[in-house]
Amino acid sequence: MSMVCLSDFEAYAKKYLPKIAWDYFAAGADDCTTRDENILAYKRIRFRPRMLRDVSVMDIRTKILGSEISFPVGIAPTGFHQLAWPDGEKSTARAARAMDTCYIASTYSTCTLEEISAAAPGGLHWFQLYIHRNRAASQQLVQRAEALGFQGLVLTADLPYTGKRRNDVRNGFRLPPHMKVKNLEGAFEVCKMSLLDPSVTWNDIYWLRSLTRLPIIIKGILTREDAELAVKHGVQGIIVSNHGGRQLDEGPATIDALVEVVEAVRGRVEVYVDGGIRKGSDVLKALALGAKCVFIGRPALWGLAYKGEEGLQDVLRILQDEFRLSMALAG
Amino acid sequence: MSMVCLSDFEAYAKKYLPKIAWDYFAAGADDCTTRDENILAYKRIRFRPRMLRDVSVMDIRTKILGSEISFPVGIAPTGFHQLAWPDGEKSTARAARAMDTCYIASTYSTCTLEEISAAAPGGLHWFQLYIHRNRAASQQLVQRAEALGFQGLVLTADLPYTGKRRNDVRNGFRLPPHMKVKNLEGAFEVCKMSLLDPSVTWNDIYWLRSLTRLPIIIKGILTREDAELAVKHGVQGIIVSNHGGRQLDEGPATIDALVEVVEAVRGRVEVYVDGGIRKGSDVLKALALGAKCVFIGRPALWGLAYKGEEGLQDVLRILQDEFRLSMALAG
Amino acid sequence: MSMVCLSDFEAYAKKYLPKIAWDYFAAGADDCTTRDENILAYKRIRFRPRMLRDVSVMDIRTKILGSEISFPVGIAPTGFHQLAWPDGEKSTARAARAMDTCYIASTYSTCTLEEISAAAPGGLHWFQLYIHRNRAASQQLVQRAEALGFQGLVLTADLPYTGKRRNDVRNGFRLPPHMKVKNLEGAFEVCKMSLLDPSVTWNDIYWLRSLTRLPIIIKGILTREDAELAVKHGVQGIIVSNHGGRQLDEGPATIDALVEVVEAVRGRVEVYVDGGIRKGSDVLKALALGAKCVFIGRPALWGLAYKGEEGLQDVLRILQDEFRLSMALAG
Amino acid sequence: MSMVCLSDFEAYAKKYLPKIAWDYFAAGADDCTTRDENILAYKRIRFRPRMLRDVSVMDIRTKILGSEISFPVGIAPTGFHQLAWPDGEKSTARAARAMDTCYIASTYSTCTLEEISAAAPGGLHWFQLYIHRNRAASQQLVQRAEALGFQGLVLTADLPYTGKRRNDVRNGFRLPPHMKVKNLEGAFEVCKMSLLDPSVTWNDIYWLRSLTRLPIIIKGILTREDAELAVKHGVQGIIVSNHGGRQLDEGPATIDALVEVVEAVRGRVEVYVDGGIRKGSDVLKALALGAKCVFIGRPALWGLAYKGEEGLQDVLRILQDEFRLSMALAG
């Protein structure tokens, strides 16, 4: 099987992952309309290619919140990487560092923050956070991440409750007994999302700010109104995201929402986007529409499922090559 | 078979109901364009989800014409429930009461109004009415319903003649001999719709008003012009409906017509909608566009076909859970 | 097999006609885009149904060029009816008379004008004409038709050359030896369309006018510019037509062109339309958009293929019933 | 197998060419969206057919850069014709001359310019050029073409790097050992596109101009901005092209880009288009939108694959007949 584009990795993962794991990673809420729209919306955007420009030298390095990365594609926070590869998030961290890009580790990792950090010392890591009913638990996580050298705090805003993913319900999805959400150290049982606090509001950003000097990036913004609120509450970055279409179905595709958010933000904070990136040209479109960087979720998991950190590096390398080629061909 | 969403009940009913019954319930007029559009139109509507709002407590109770119901989903009038479940409309009435919502009993019930009323005493019941050529028959039905404690009178306006449902013609659809349209007490033979009066006009609302103190709700309105006429003729409520796409094919989807009707009515009477509701998020969309409550037709029949009153309660409970979750995720 | 709607007749004809005949009748030019668009365009038009109007009595009779017909659906000119039924155009004429409507006999009939006329004396017949290189042949046809009591002359304007119908080319389509284009009495060989005159212009309308007192109806108009020219050159009627999508592919659907033609004509002459009529509601749409009457082509042939004149009457009766029902349900 | 339309040749080629050759010719970049859009965009354009115009005599000859051709369809530059037919570009040249039209020979021909020229002396030939890192090589090619009587120089502007054609990567596409890119005389190895110079800019047009008196046509323009630059830099013609969708995916269809380019050019130079031409009516659409002539790529290869020069003549003859018929039917 020759791995030429990201769909090849998807096909591999679908074929070789246990069904319960594949279904969990692939799941979208309800009818999966938004999950699929994330991809379709990219296809509706057309380039206006320009010719006869000198494209012999191209610089695709960029900076996010001051840290340089080799190209504008990072790893979005997704849970349970051991479902895809035995070494789980440790492999993810190693691949991201090897490719010189940013990895956002999820609260719902199957490795601890300490293990992730130790697996790829010197790598650019951000930490993704939910706010729990038990605020002390959240506070402890933030402070652990900061102490370990994580350089950004990503607050997920779109999960007051878990979306309804039909196949997960049908499968009775839960982690196999030998995997654990280790960051939560027994404080929660797996998937007991009900420990998340649905009463969180914008004011809790101030509380979070009081706990840490790390920049705060808010993930899950889809409207200009919320983008304005995010800036007003002092976040450093916004990730336009609909949680891969896993939360509210039939909201906007992220690339469509990006336009509206970028317009509202007017450069005051950095804006990123995730969801639906499948080709290097998608990255170029997102950047052309104002994103500073994109993050990939499912494709990273497919890479892991293929060959662990090596597979994920393959995925990133393909995106990088395609991105560079698209830039050249678009002039 | 695990029942996770309403489509699961549809698949069950399609598999286990006799073909003639399934066809009758599923039927749309002509090419079934409007029947299918009712569903597709919901999919075209997109949410603008808002984040970081306190969604820890949500009140989904509402009132229709002054009566409180547990959530804004009632049971639309459909005929011949014994085709779906032996106890027929008695089961429907019990399920509606158990879920604390409104049930609109059809003239074409296979149980009498008295049986329905006795099956679920204290339940919120409305009665759906056609005007017959024999006005005395209609008058008698209205007065029976009022005497039995029904709390609303729903006049169906879109059936001067029955629409052309091809499969019913092919199947030679008629009730099996052991079922009867009991409300009509032998006054009509089954399906002799020709006893309905096609000369009915708006002035007959005044005649109906003279027979009863019950509120009159008119069902089948699809245009602003008719909405204006309905208000002018003193109805208390409007159900935007195209009879599940079973009458005139290639009219508007009800969710699209709702917008126009709500705008014309400007809050003077309550507006409801039926047709195409398949998920809790559809309910949220209808409410966001101005409906006070929605009614479900075919999904209620699928619930009955699955497990009688228990199955219908399952359907309602799923819609309720999905509706609550959608509200939380949309902020 | 129960014949409930026109598609049932289509399925029957497809199953039982010889492939070469089915292909000939079904053929569209090139990719058949326009043939299929004729139907799809009707589906895009939506009714705004009105309720509670007295629809107990409906008059669906109408007049075309002063002659009363039982409902606004006539038979469009199509060739070679013996391919569908042994009695050919004689059966067509009988069915049209039995249903009290208009039949436009084609030059390319497999019966003579005299046979058609004798088969249904007193029927309302129009004659469809091409202008041949040999003008005397055309003149003789016109005068025969007038003498036989035909009441209208339909000049086809869209066939200077025959469109490219791929399956007919593949099949090497030609009439079987026992059928003849009898009207042309050996003057032409079958399918030698090259005897048609491609140099015909608007001025030839004046020549045609000089030959006959019959009203002239022009068939094949699709633009406002040509509609204006038609009125200016003194025709009595216009049939908006694209020859069933058999001539230039990728022109407009006729129902779309109708709107533009009706607007340009401003009631100065009668406007009719053919192409894509498959349901009674299509007839209602065409009338609502300004057509005085519609004509059916392929459905008439399917009716013939099913049971000759009886089958064609079935087709017309179904359309009539559906048309009446649509009128009632649309209010 | 009867060859009625261009799709028949496509089906033949797909069936009989070696998979690696078919894949190479059929390839589009990435998801092949633009390749397919080239065709779909033609289908979205609708004619407004006019009637009763004298179409008995039609002149379809035209001139491109002063040279008369028998109809406005030429052969676009495509590589490796020996993959389709043993005589390769020699057959192409002979067919083009037989049909009295223009053939643009590709740099990546499997015959030398000298062989092509000798195969069809007196034929109208243009030469397609890339600019190589080794400018002397390019200069030598230009001067050889001029000396051999080629009458135009087509500079391809959209290939600073080769697009990503997934199947070619999977197949490890390369020429079979007995074929060579003879024009480059061992200066390059096959497919080593990296010898092309990605630093080429508009100023290199001046350099090219200094080498030759041949008219320069630039191929690959898709925007008004680049069209303006092309005119400003003194080219004689523009071919609106996206390289058959083989370079940047998800740019515009060429027929859509044509409109914008024609508008910008305002008649100052001739504008041609390639990509997606499959029927004579496509040619008519392109001309109606301002193209002076169209060029066909893949259909020419299918013709070669079918029967060499005879097959290519069949393809051209079909297009010519269809084009003439479309003109007549459109009035």
Side-chain angles (χ1 to χ4, degrees):
Chain A
M1 190 160 192
S2 94
M3 308 313 265
V4 174
C5 59
L6 269 52
S7 311
D8 295 333
F9 292 84
E10 182 176 18
Y12 182 95
K14 184 165 188 179
K15 190 165 172 190
Y16 290 104
L17 280 180
K19 176 173 160 40
I20 199 169
W22 165 259
D23 279 355
Y24 174 75
F25 291 144
D30 295 340
D31 291 329
C32 301
T33 304
T34 295
R35 179 193 69 181
D36 298 340
E37 264 291 294
N38 276 352
I39 292 173
L40 293 171
Y42 276 103
K43 291 193 189 295
R44 287 191 294 260
I45 298 169
R46 290 278 172 270
F47 289 110
R48 289 177 52 78
R50 300 295 305 274
M51 300 300 144
L52 296 185
R53 296 175 163 200
D54 181 348
V55 293
S56 54
V57 179
M58 286 184 296
D59 183 7
I60 60 171
R61 299 190 69 79
T62 190
K63 279 187 177 176
I64 52 174
L65 295 183
S67 303
E68 195 170 277
I69 53 179
S70 66
F71 78 122
V73 176
I75 312 290
T78 51
F80 310 152
H81 290 195
Q82 286 188 1
L83 285 175
W85 190 254
D87 256 13
E89 288 79 4
K90 288 184 282 186
S91 292
T92 315
R94 285 185 207 114
R97 191 186 55 179
M99 291 297 294
D100 196 7
T101 190
C102 174
Y103 165 39
I104 310 179
S106 165
T107 289
Y108 286 92
S109 293
T110 42
C111 301
T112 62
L113 291 179
E114 288 74 11
E115 289 169 324
I116 291 168
S117 192
L124 176 58
H125 300 152
W126 292 356
F127 175 62
Q128 174 274 332
L129 181 81
Y130 296 106
I131 296 183
H132 300 97
R133 292 184 198 268
N134 176 352
R135 297 286 166 114
S138 293
Q139 174 168 358
Q140 186 245 32
L141 277 170
V142 169
Q143 289 167 348
R144 270 166 69 196
E146 184 164 6
L148 287 163
F150 281 73
Q151 292 178 247
L153 208 58
V154 175
L155 177 67
T156 295
D158 59 8
L159 206 135
Y161 302 97
T162 306
K164 181 172 180 176
R165 304 156 196 173
R166 293 176 186 169
N167 283 344
D168 288 350
V169 180
R170 287 186 226 281
N171 294 337
F173 173 77
R174 45 180 301 129
L175 281 185
H178 62 285
M179 296 185 202
K180 299 223 172 328
V181 179
K182 288 192 180 171
N183 281 320
L184 304 177
E185 298 176 65
F188 305 94
E189 278 181 45
V190 168
C191 283
K192 284 223 174 161
M193 293 290 183
S194 61
L195 297 188
L196 300 187
D197 185 351
S199 75
V200 168
T201 67
W202 289 100
N203 284 328
D204 292 292
I205 306 267
Y206 298 131
W207 168 75
L208 201 58
R209 166 66 53 239
S210 75
L211 303 181
T212 178
R213 276 168 308 190
L214 291 180
I216 297 173
I217 301 101
I218 190 159
K219 173 167 174 282
I221 300 304
L222 293 166
T223 61
R224 72 174 62 83
E225 294 86 346
D226 279 350
E228 187 58 52
L229 285 170
V231 173
K232 192 173 135 196
H233 286 81
V235 304
Q236 273 71 44
I238 290 173
I239 304 181
V240 174
S241 172
N242 52 30
H243 217 108
R246 298 161 78 86
Q247 289 294 103
L248 182 68
D249 200 22
E250 303 182 354
T254 49
I255 190 66
D256 293 334
L258 175 70
V259 176
E260 158 172 353
V261 168
V262 163
E263 203 175 271
V265 162
R266 299 194 312 276
R268 290 173 288 171
V269 304
E270 296 190 354
V271 180
Y272 322 109
V273 66
D274 70 18
I277 298 282
R278 296 293 178 268
K279 297 187 296 185
S281 58
D282 296 336
V283 181
L284 183 56
K285 287 175 180 178
L287 265 64
L289 294 172
K292 183 82 179 168
C293 172
V294 309
F295 292 91
I296 56 169
R298 292 184 185 94
L301 295 161
W302 305 333
L304 284 179
Y306 176 56
K307 275 194 193 169
E309 62 204 75
E310 200 182 324
L312 176 47
Q313 284 185 57
D314 289 347
V315 162
L316 287 166
R317 207 172 290 116
I318 285 175
L319 271 180
Q320 195 174 62
D321 290 346
E322 289 181 348
F323 172 62
R324 191 184 281 114
L325 181 57
S326 295
M327 276 186 70
L329 298 182
Chain B
M1 191 162 191
S2 94
M3 308 311 265
V4 173
C5 60
L6 268 53
S7 312
D8 294 333
F9 292 84
E10 182 176 18
Y12 182 95
K14 184 165 190 179
K15 190 164 172 191
Y16 290 104
L17 280 180
K19 177 174 159 37
I20 200 169
W22 166 260
D23 279 355
Y24 174 75
F25 292 143
D30 295 340
D31 291 329
C32 302
T33 304
T34 295
R35 179 194 67 180
D36 297 340
E37 264 290 294
N38 276 352
I39 293 173
L40 294 172
Y42 275 103
K43 290 194 190 294
R44 287 192 294 261
I45 299 169
R46 290 277 172 271
F47 290 109
R48 289 176 52 78
R50 301 296 305 273
M51 300 300 144
L52 296 185
R53 295 175 163 199
D54 181 347
V55 292
S56 54
V57 180
M58 286 184 297
D59 183 7
I60 60 171
R61 301 189 67 80
T62 190
K63 279 186 178 178
I64 52 174
L65 295 184
S67 302
E68 194 169 279
I69 52 178
S70 66
F71 79 122
V73 176
I75 313 291
T78 51
F80 309 152
H81 291 196
Q82 285 187 1
L83 285 175
W85 189 255
D87 257 12
E89 289 80 2
K90 289 184 282 186
S91 291
T92 315
R94 285 186 207 115
R97 191 185 55 177
M99 290 297 294
D100 195 7
T101 190
C102 174
Y103 166 38
I104 310 179
S106 166
T107 288
Y108 286 92
S109 293
T110 41
C111 302
T112 61
L113 293 178
E114 288 73 11
E115 288 170 326
I116 292 168
S117 194
L124 176 59
H125 300 152
W126 291 356
F127 175 61
Q128 175 273 332
L129 181 81
Y130 297 105
I131 296 183
H132 300 97
R133 292 184 198 267
N134 176 352
R135 295 287 166 113
S138 293
Q139 175 168 357
Q140 186 243 34
L141 277 169
V142 168
Q143 289 167 348
R144 270 167 68 198
E146 185 164 6
L148 286 163
F150 281 72
Q151 292 177 246
L153 209 57
V154 175
L155 177 68
T156 295
D158 58 7
L159 206 136
Y161 302 97
T162 306
K164 182 171 179 176
R165 303 155 197 174
R166 294 175 185 169
N167 283 343
D168 288 349
V169 180
R170 288 186 226 280
N171 294 338
F173 173 75
R174 47 181 298 128
L175 281 186
H178 62 285
M179 296 185 201
K180 299 224 171 328
V181 179
K182 289 192 180 172
N183 283 321
L184 304 177
E185 298 174 66
F188 304 94
E189 278 181 44
V190 169
C191 283
K192 284 225 172 159
M193 292 290 183
S194 61
L195 297 187
L196 300 186
D197 185 351
S199 74
V200 169
T201 67
W202 288 101
N203 284 329
D204 292 293
I205 306 268
Y206 298 131
W207 169 75
L208 201 59
R209 167 63 56 238
S210 74
L211 303 180
T212 177
R213 278 168 308 191
L214 290 181
I216 296 173
I217 301 101
I218 190 157
K219 173 168 174 282
I221 300 305
L222 292 165
T223 61
R224 69 174 62 82
E225 294 87 345
D226 279 350
E228 187 59 51
L229 285 170
V231 172
K232 194 174 134 194
H233 285 80
V235 305
Q236 272 72 45
I238 291 173
I239 304 182
V240 175
S241 173
N242 52 30
H243 217 110
R246 298 162 78 86
Q247 290 294 103
L248 181 69
D249 200 22
E250 301 181 355
T254 50
I255 189 66
D256 293 334
L258 175 70
V259 175
E260 156 172 355
V261 168
V262 163
E263 204 175 88
V265 162
R266 299 194 312 277
R268 291 174 288 171
V269 304
E270 295 189 355
V271 180
Y272 321 109
V273 66
D274 69 18
I277 297 283
R278 296 294 178 269
K279 296 187 297 184
S281 58
D282 297 335
V283 181
L284 182 56
K285 288 176 180 177
L287 266 65
L289 294 171
K292 182 80 178 168
C293 173
V294 309
F295 292 91
I296 56 170
R298 292 184 185 95
L301 295 161
W302 304 334
L304 284 179
Y306 176 56
K307 276 194 193 170
E309 61 205 75
E310 200 183 323
L312 175 47
Q313 284 184 57
D314 288 347
V315 163
L316 288 166
R317 207 172 290 116
I318 285 174
L319 272 180
Q320 195 174 61
D321 290 346
E322 288 181 349
F323 172 61
R324 190 184 280 117
L325 181 57
S326 295
M327 277 186 69
L329 297 182
Chain C
M1 190 161 192
S2 94
M3 307 312 263
V4 173
C5 60
L6 268 53
S7 312
D8 294 333
F9 292 83
E10 181 176 19
Y12 182 96
K14 184 165 189 178
K15 190 165 171 189
Y16 290 105
L17 281 179
K19 177 175 159 41
I20 199 169
W22 166 259
D23 278 356
Y24 174 74
F25 292 143
D30 294 340
D31 291 330
C32 302
T33 304
T34 295
R35 179 193 68 180
D36 297 339
E37 264 290 294
N38 276 352
I39 293 172
L40 293 172
Y42 275 104
K43 289 192 191 294
R44 287 192 294 260
I45 299 170
R46 289 278 172 270
F47 290 110
R48 289 177 53 78
R50 301 296 303 273
M51 299 301 144
L52 296 185
R53 294 173 165 201
D54 181 349
V55 292
S56 54
V57 180
M58 285 184 297
D59 183 8
I60 61 172
R61 299 188 69 81
T62 191
K63 279 186 176 177
I64 52 174
L65 295 184
S67 303
E68 193 169 280
I69 51 178
S70 66
F71 78 121
V73 176
I75 312 290
T78 51
F80 308 153
H81 290 195
Q82 284 187 1
L83 285 175
W85 189 255
D87 257 13
E89 289 79 4
K90 288 185 282 186
S91 291
T92 315
R94 285 186 208 117
R97 191 185 54 173
M99 290 298 295
D100 195 7
T101 190
C102 173
Y103 166 38
I104 309 178
S106 165
T107 289
Y108 286 92
S109 293
T110 41
C111 302
T112 61
L113 292 179
E114 288 74 11
E115 289 169 323
I116 291 169
S117 193
L124 176 59
H125 300 153
W126 292 356
F127 175 62
Q128 175 274 331
L129 182 81
Y130 296 105
I131 296 183
H132 300 98
R133 292 185 198 268
N134 175 354
R135 296 288 166 114
S138 292
Q139 175 169 357
Q140 185 243 36
L141 277 170
V142 169
Q143 290 166 347
R144 270 167 69 198
E146 184 165 6
L148 286 164
F150 280 72
Q151 292 178 245
L153 209 58
V154 175
L155 177 68
T156 295
D158 59 7
L159 206 137
Y161 302 97
T162 306
K164 180 170 181 175
R165 303 156 197 173
R166 294 175 185 168
N167 283 342
D168 288 349
V169 180
R170 288 187 225 280
N171 294 338
F173 173 76
R174 46 180 301 128
L175 281 185
H178 61 285
M179 296 185 201
K180 299 228 171 323
V181 179
K182 290 193 178 170
N183 282 322
L184 304 178
E185 299 175 66
F188 304 94
E189 279 181 45
V190 168
C191 284
K192 284 227 171 157
M193 293 293 184
S194 61
L195 298 189
L196 300 187
D197 185 351
S199 75
V200 169
T201 67
W202 287 101
N203 284 329
D204 292 292
I205 305 269
Y206 297 131
W207 169 75
L208 201 59
R209 165 65 55 237
S210 74
L211 303 180
T212 177
R213 278 168 309 191
L214 290 180
I216 296 173
I217 300 100
I218 190 157
K219 174 167 174 282
I221 300 305
L222 292 166
T223 61
R224 70 173 62 83
E225 296 86 347
D226 279 350
E228 188 58 53
L229 285 169
V231 172
K232 194 174 134 194
H233 286 82
V235 305
Q236 273 70 44
I238 291 173
I239 305 183
V240 175
S241 173
N242 51 31
H243 217 109
R246 296 162 78 87
Q247 289 293 103
L248 181 69
D249 199 23
E250 303 182 352
T254 50
I255 190 67
D256 292 334
L258 174 70
V259 175
E260 156 172 356
V261 168
V262 163
E263 203 176 86
V265 163
R266 298 194 314 275
R268 290 174 289 171
V269 304
E270 295 190 355
V271 180
Y272 321 110
V273 66
D274 70 17
I277 297 281
R278 296 295 178 268
K279 296 186 298 182
S281 58
D282 296 335
V283 182
L284 181 56
K285 287 175 180 177
L287 266 66
L289 293 172
K292 182 81 177 168
C293 173
V294 308
F295 291 92
I296 56 169
R298 292 184 185 93
L301 296 160
W302 304 333
L304 284 178
Y306 177 55
K307 276 194 193 171
E309 61 206 73
E310 199 182 325
L312 177 47
Q313 284 184 57
D314 289 347
V315 162
L316 288 166
R317 206 173 291 116
I318 285 173
L319 271 180
Q320 196 174 60
D321 290 347
E322 288 181 349
F323 173 60
R324 190 184 279 115
L325 181 57
S326 294
M327 276 186 70
L329 297 183
Chain D
M1 190 160 192
S2 93
M3 307 312 264
V4 173
C5 59
L6 269 53
S7 311
D8 294 333
F9 293 84
E10 181 177 18
Y12 182 95
K14 184 165 189 178
K15 191 165 171 189
Y16 290 104
L17 281 179
K19 178 174 158 40
I20 199 169
W22 165 259
D23 279 355
Y24 174 74
F25 292 143
D30 295 340
D31 291 330
C32 301
T33 303
T34 294
R35 179 193 69 179
D36 298 340
E37 264 291 294
N38 276 352
I39 292 173
L40 293 173
Y42 275 103
K43 290 193 190 295
R44 286 192 295 259
I45 298 170
R46 291 276 172 271
F47 289 111
R48 288 176 54 79
R50 301 296 304 272
M51 300 299 144
L52 297 185
R53 296 176 163 198
D54 182 348
V55 293
S56 54
V57 180
M58 284 183 298
D59 183 7
I60 61 172
R61 299 190 68 81
T62 191
K63 280 186 177 177
I64 53 174
L65 294 184
S67 303
E68 194 169 277
I69 52 179
S70 66
F71 78 122
V73 176
I75 312 290
T78 51
F80 309 153
H81 290 196
Q82 285 188 0
L83 284 176
W85 190 254
D87 257 13
E89 290 79 5
K90 289 185 281 186
S91 292
T92 314
R94 286 186 206 115
R97 192 186 54 176
M99 289 297 294
D100 195 7
T101 190
C102 173
Y103 166 38
I104 309 178
S106 165
T107 290
Y108 285 92
S109 293
T110 42
C111 302
T112 62
L113 292 179
E114 289 73 12
E115 289 169 323
I116 291 169
S117 194
L124 176 59
H125 300 153
W126 292 357
F127 175 62
Q128 174 274 332
L129 182 81
Y130 297 104
I131 296 184
H132 300 98
R133 292 184 199 269
N134 175 352
R135 296 288 166 112
S138 292
Q139 174 169 358
Q140 185 243 36
L141 277 169
V142 169
Q143 290 167 347
R144 270 167 68 197
E146 185 164 6
L148 286 163
F150 281 73
Q151 292 178 246
L153 209 59
V154 175
L155 176 68
T156 295
D158 59 7
L159 206 136
Y161 302 97
T162 306
K164 181 171 181 177
R165 303 156 197 173
R166 293 175 186 169
N167 283 343
D168 288 350
V169 180
R170 288 187 226 281
N171 295 337
F173 173 75
R174 45 180 301 128
L175 281 185
H178 62 284
M179 296 185 202
K180 299 228 172 326
V181 179
K182 289 193 179 169
N183 282 322
L184 304 177
E185 299 175 66
F188 305 93
E189 278 181 45
V190 169
C191 283
K192 284 227 172 158
M193 294 290 183
S194 61
L195 297 188
L196 301 187
D197 185 350
S199 76
V200 170
T201 66
W202 287 100
N203 284 330
D204 293 292
I205 306 269
Y206 298 131
W207 169 75
L208 201 59
R209 166 65 54 239
S210 74
L211 303 181
T212 178
R213 277 169 308 191
L214 290 180
I216 296 173
I217 301 101
I218 190 156
K219 173 167 174 282
I221 300 305
L222 292 167
T223 60
R224 71 173 61 82
E225 295 85 347
D226 279 349
E228 188 58 52
L229 285 170
V231 172
K232 194 174 134 194
H233 286 82
V235 305
Q236 273 70 44
I238 291 172
I239 304 182
V240 175
S241 173
N242 52 31
H243 217 108
R246 297 161 78 86
Q247 289 293 103
L248 181 69
D249 199 23
E250 302 182 351
T254 50
I255 190 65
D256 293 334
L258 175 70
V259 175
E260 158 172 353
V261 168
V262 164
E263 203 176 270
V265 164
R266 299 194 313 275
R268 290 173 290 171
V269 304
E270 295 190 355
V271 180
Y272 321 110
V273 66
D274 69 18
I277 297 282
R278 296 295 179 267
K279 297 186 297 183
S281 59
D282 296 335
V283 182
L284 182 55
K285 287 175 179 178
L287 265 65
L289 294 172
K292 182 83 178 166
C293 172
V294 308
F295 292 91
I296 56 168
R298 293 185 185 93
L301 295 161
W302 304 334
L304 284 178
Y306 176 55
K307 276 194 194 171
E309 62 205 74
E310 197 182 324
L312 176 47
Q313 284 184 58
D314 288 346
V315 162
L316 287 166
R317 206 172 291 116
I318 285 174
L319 271 180
Q320 196 174 60
D321 290 346
E322 289 181 348
F323 172 60
R324 191 185 280 115
L325 181 58
S326 294
M327 276 186 70
L329 297 183

